[in-house]
Amino acid sequence: YYKNNALPKLNPTQESLAIMHVAYPLKLKYNFNWPYPDIKKISFDLPSMNLQNFQKLEVMLKGSQLKGDLSRNIKVEFENRHREKDAKYISIPNDNWSEYSIALNSFKGISDWSSITRLSFVIEKWNTANNEGVVYINEIKFSKKLNH
């Protein structure tokens, strides 16, 4: 888990809010071969973040195989203070950096966006073509515009 206590304060006129943009992206390395678990996750604990005025999540993702096929899906999951959770899957078919965007209103299991407490990125064994690989994560931000 990553505790993100130093999040920037949101200006009401601000069009986007970045929660992670670093020179060295996060590396989510997975190995689902025995005896390792069938799930690998990176989570950000957010201080009850108010996202009700934002329209979408944007994130840069890149896959990299340790061997074999690159295709895998990553689950993006939100949780709020009421413990409501919902998730969407993103397919990462290659090893090039790509920007992905998910409309927040597509997370139907979240009814209160004023108190988001966790954002997670999850790789699951059943949803990958290979038992070993790496996903790089960078430039996580929330935007007020659906199109830009």
Side-chain angles (χ1 to χ4, degrees):
Y1 289 99
Y2 287 85
K3 297 225 183 251
N4 216 337
N5 295 330
L7 288 173
K9 297 294 180 202
L10 181 61
N11 178 328
T13 61
Q14 197 172 337
E15 291 299 319
S16 66
L17 174 65
I19 64 168
M20 193 192 108
H21 178 83
V22 295
Y24 300 101
L26 291 176
K27 181 179 180 180
L28 179 55
K29 184 176 180 180
Y30 59 92
N31 180 347
F32 297 133
N33 295 311
W34 189 89
Y36 300 107
D38 292 348
I39 293 176
K40 187 72 174 187
K41 177 193 299 195
I42 290 180
S43 293
F44 295 89
D45 286 338
L46 306 172
S48 206
M49 183 176 272
N50 184 349
L51 297 177
Q52 60 188 356
N53 293 324
F54 290 90
Q55 300 294 314
K56 66 181 175 180
L57 166 72
E58 296 174 336
V59 60
M60 295 293 292
L61 298 169
K62 174 183 148 177
S64 178
Q65 87 276 21
L66 296 178
K67 60 181 179 180
D69 187 1
L70 278 171
S71 61
R72 88 274 344 246
N73 293 301
I74 190 166
K75 180 167 72 171
V76 179
E77 183 177 70
F78 283 100
E79 183 177 347
N80 67 14
R81 72 173 176 199
H82 308 295
R83 299 195 185 230
E84 294 176 327
K85 288 183 182 180
D86 200 0
K88 298 292 172 209
Y89 287 90
I90 297 173
S91 177
I92 307 171
N94 60 43
D95 62 352
N96 297 316
W97 280 108
S98 296
E99 181 178 22
Y100 296 87
S101 178
I102 305 174
L104 296 181
N105 65 7
S106 69
F107 291 87
K108 302 297 185 194
I110 303 287
S111 64
D112 181 7
W113 286 95
S114 70
S115 60
I116 298 299
T117 57
R118 182 169 293 145
L119 169 62
S120 300
F121 295 89
V122 185
I123 301 287
E124 301 163 313
K125 180 179 182 175
W126 69 269
N127 213 357
T128 62
N130 195 331
N131 282 346
E132 295 179 53
V134 177
V135 173
Y136 295 95
I137 303 167
N138 202 358
E139 298 184 28
I140 303 168
K141 65 183 176 181
F142 300 99
S143 177
K144 290 185 177 180
K145 296 181 179 180
L146 276 176
N147 299 314
H148 65 282

